[in-house]
Structures are given as structure tokens and as C-alpha cells.
Amino acid sequence: MPSKPIDNAKLDRIVAEARRTAEQRELGYRERALKMYPWVCGRCAREFTRANLQELTVHHRNHDHDFNPPDGSNWELLCVYCHDNEHARYIDHVRGGVVAVDDAPPATGNPFADLKAMLERGRK
């Protein structure tokens, strides 16, 4: 069975695109923060390696994701758990510790609507 000839031009395009994509990612604040700070959660001090680095997030201290100074002064690295906790604390602070249940739409479905009929079918 003859093999297909290697399309070097196509391979070159793929490699060039991968390099461009990597360079663009490097310009993002996450990559900059990961180069700037040690891979340790700023709250719980959990250490990270390349194997679990996806669990380390960049938290914006002032909660403004558009404010990304080059010195990284608005960033801190937090694990996903501490990051979620920080945002929950911020929401509680903004709302005065009150969860806005009144803002939620009322439930319209009844999960037990057809329960009796399902039980009857199960007995037969």
C-alpha cells in the first residue's frame, strides 16, 4: 500500500499557526501572571506543577477584568476553590450579605406531577 507524500507546505503552515497562537496566548494576562508569580495559591498556599496548572487561576484584586497593568499589581494567583470562595465573599459584600432570592423567577414545574401514575405503572 503506497503512502501519501508528505505535504511540507501544509506542515509549515500548521507549525506557523501554532506558533502565532502561542505568541498571542503569551500576551494574555494569565500567561503573564504565570511567568511573573510562583505557581502557589495566594490563599491556601497549595503548590502547582504543569500537571495541575489548569487549577490555578488569575484573580483580579479589584474585580475589574479589564484592568491589567503590566506590573501585575491587580493580579493574584488562586486555586479554583479559593477563587470561587473569593468571588462568593465579594458577592455577599456587594449585596450586604443578603442573597437576592426575590430576583429569581418562580418555579413553574412540579417534579411530582405524574408520580402517582408512575407508581401505578411500576406495580403492574
Side-chain angles (χ1 to χ4, degrees):
M1 185 158 95
S3 63
K4 292 183 182 180
I6 296 174
D7 185 353
N8 287 327
K10 183 178 180 180
L11 289 175
D12 290 343
R13 285 191 305 272
I14 291 170
V15 169
E17 178 63 27
R19 285 185 179 152
R20 274 192 302 276
T21 303
E23 287 170 3
Q24 286 175 340
R25 274 195 316 266
E26 297 260 332
L27 298 175
Y29 66 82
R30 183 174 197 279
E31 284 68 28
R32 291 186 351 238
L34 290 173
K35 286 180 180 177
M36 192 177 295
Y37 296 114
W39 294 356
V40 175
C41 176
R43 299 290 161 83
C44 69
R46 179 178 166 199
E47 295 182 12
F48 291 83
T49 64
R50 291 201 184 278
N52 63 354
L53 191 59
Q54 72 277 3
E55 296 175 22
L56 189 62
T57 63
V58 178
H59 173 65
H60 288 81
R61 293 175 189 209
N62 71 354
H63 296 273
D64 180 358
H65 290 218
D66 293 324
F67 182 59
N68 295 302
D71 66 352
S73 59
N74 191 35
W75 305 328
E76 65 181 326
L77 297 179
L78 299 178
C79 71
V80 292
Y81 307 107
C82 292
H83 197 187
D84 286 348
N85 180 264
E86 176 62 29
H87 280 272
R89 289 177 45 214
Y90 178 73
I91 290 169
D92 286 348
H93 173 72
V94 169
R95 292 186 180 165
V98 177
V99 179
V101 175
D102 296 335
D103 295 342
T108 57
N110 182 353
F112 303 109
D114 200 30
L115 182 60
K116 185 175 182 179
M118 287 190 284
L119 290 172
E120 293 298 324
R121 281 191 299 245
R123 291 182 185 159
K124 293 180 183 177

